[in-house]
């Protein structure tokens, strides 16, 4: 029997209550440009919004875009139900394709940075993800158009783009200015010319 996919930002546990032990020196905060003064972030791939919630927790204002209607609906309802003030005040969920948001005339001005975390293929050797994660993957698929989103973000989006990749995976697109490396993931930083 398939488990139901549930999104509850208030549920205790690590998914939505990550410890920001280093504050704005957390890798994700540095990747979106905390040290350069970034405050408003456009998340081009909301997914389960774990990163978006973490960013709000660290004080950023986040608009998170999700194109899968079921996931976007679950996120919207989780946001309506949450009692967490930092999410009620600083998180916006938008259903749709991030490319359409990037094409909006004020997009480059409205945000300090964009963040993109497309799906990547499962490694054969990796630990089996939780059933919820498998169901999520089955729903949203592989984001085969990810490089195109990066290309468009560099043409039309905010001045900075951080792309999350598995540590050893090649960049989605050439032109990475620098990277922040964690133990399993890497954030490739692009700066719009
Ligand atoms: C790996 S998940 C993101 C996980 C997310 N960072 C988190 O912390 O939960 C990728 C998500 O991005 C969405 N996505 C990929 N490309 C998109 C696009 N062009 N527009 C909107 N959503 C997109 C997929 O539907 C999927 O839900």
């Amino acid at each position: 029997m398939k488990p139901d996919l549930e999104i509850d930002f208030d549920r205790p546990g690590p998914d939505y209550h990550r410890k920001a032990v280093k504050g704005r020196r957390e890798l994700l905060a540095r990747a979106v440009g905390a040290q350069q003064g970034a405050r408003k972030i456009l998340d081009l791939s909301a997914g389960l919004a774990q990163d978006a919630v973490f960013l709000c927790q660290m004080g950023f204002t986040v608009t998170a875009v999700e194109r899968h209607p079921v996931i976007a609906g679950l996120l919207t309802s989780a946001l309506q139900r949450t009692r967490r003030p930092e999410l009620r005040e600083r998180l916006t969920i938008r259903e749709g394709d991030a490319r359409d948001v990037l094409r909006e005339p004020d997009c480059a001005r409205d945000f300090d940075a964009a963040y993109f975390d497309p799906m990547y293929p499962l490694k054969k050797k990796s630990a089996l993800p939780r059933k919820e994660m498998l169901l999520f993957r089955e729903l949203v698929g592989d984001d085969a158009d990810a490089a195109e989103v990066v290309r468009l973000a560099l043409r039309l989006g905010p001045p900075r783009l951080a792309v999350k990749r598995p540590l050893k995976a090649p960049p989605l697109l050439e032109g990475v200015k620098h990277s922040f490396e964690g133990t399993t993931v890497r954030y490739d930083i692009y700066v719009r010319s």
Side-chain angles (χ1 to χ4, degrees):
M1 199 176 75
K2 277 182 184 171
D4 285 331
L5 195 56
E6 241 190 87
I7 300 182
D8 179 355
F9 297 144
D10 299 355
R11 185 172 59 191
D15 294 350
Y16 296 113
H17 296 271
R18 252 187 266 173
K19 287 194 184 117
V21 278
K22 294 187 193 156
R24 283 175 172 259
R25 283 181 295 113
E26 285 290 328
L27 213 53
L28 178 58
R30 289 163 65 200
V32 296
Q35 282 155 339
Q36 287 72 31
R39 294 290 175 268
K40 289 193 267 173
I41 311 300
L42 174 63
D43 181 346
L44 303 167
S45 50
L48 298 176
Q50 293 174 2
D51 291 327
V53 165
F54 191 44
L55 286 166
C56 289
Q57 215 182 298
M58 293 189 288
F60 295 93
T61 297
V62 181
T63 294
V65 191
E66 175 52 54
R67 64 179 164 190
H68 194 289
V70 172
I71 306 293
L74 291 170
L75 291 172
T76 303
S77 119
L79 184 56
Q80 283 162 354
R81 281 181 284 117
T82 186
R83 290 191 298 266
R84 296 172 62 176
E86 75 276 27
L87 303 185
R88 298 179 74 97
E89 285 159 23
R90 295 200 290 270
L91 179 61
T92 303
I93 301 292
R94 282 189 60 173
E95 178 182 338
D97 196 300
R99 285 169 292 191
D100 293 331
V101 178
L102 288 166
R103 287 190 190 102
E104 290 174 3
D106 291 333
C107 179
R109 257 177 295 139
D110 284 351
F111 300 97
D112 302 313
Y115 173 65
F116 190 42
D117 171 23
M119 302 292 285
Y120 36 79
L122 275 181
K123 277 192 296 174
K124 279 201 187 119
K125 276 196 198 155
S126 67
L128 196 65
R130 290 177 312 171
K131 283 183 185 163
E132 258 182 351
M133 201 41 85
L134 287 173
L135 178 58
F136 173 68
R137 186 171 275 280
E138 203 177 296
L139 270 178
V140 302
D142 265 346
D143 294 341
D145 51 4
E148 195 192 319
V149 176
V150 173
R151 213 169 282 122
L152 196 69
L154 293 179
R155 194 155 62 82
L156 300 175
R160 181 184 181 97
L161 170 68
V163 180
K164 185 173 172 182
R165 302 290 290 153
L167 190 59
K168 302 289 178 205
L172 263 179
L173 204 70
E174 59 193 23
V176 174
K177 192 161 178 246
H178 61 273
S179 300
F180 292 95
E181 291 191 356
T183 48
T184 56
V185 299
R186 185 184 82 231
Y187 298 99
D188 289 341
I189 312 306
Y190 299 81
V191 177
R192 204 151 83 82
S193 44

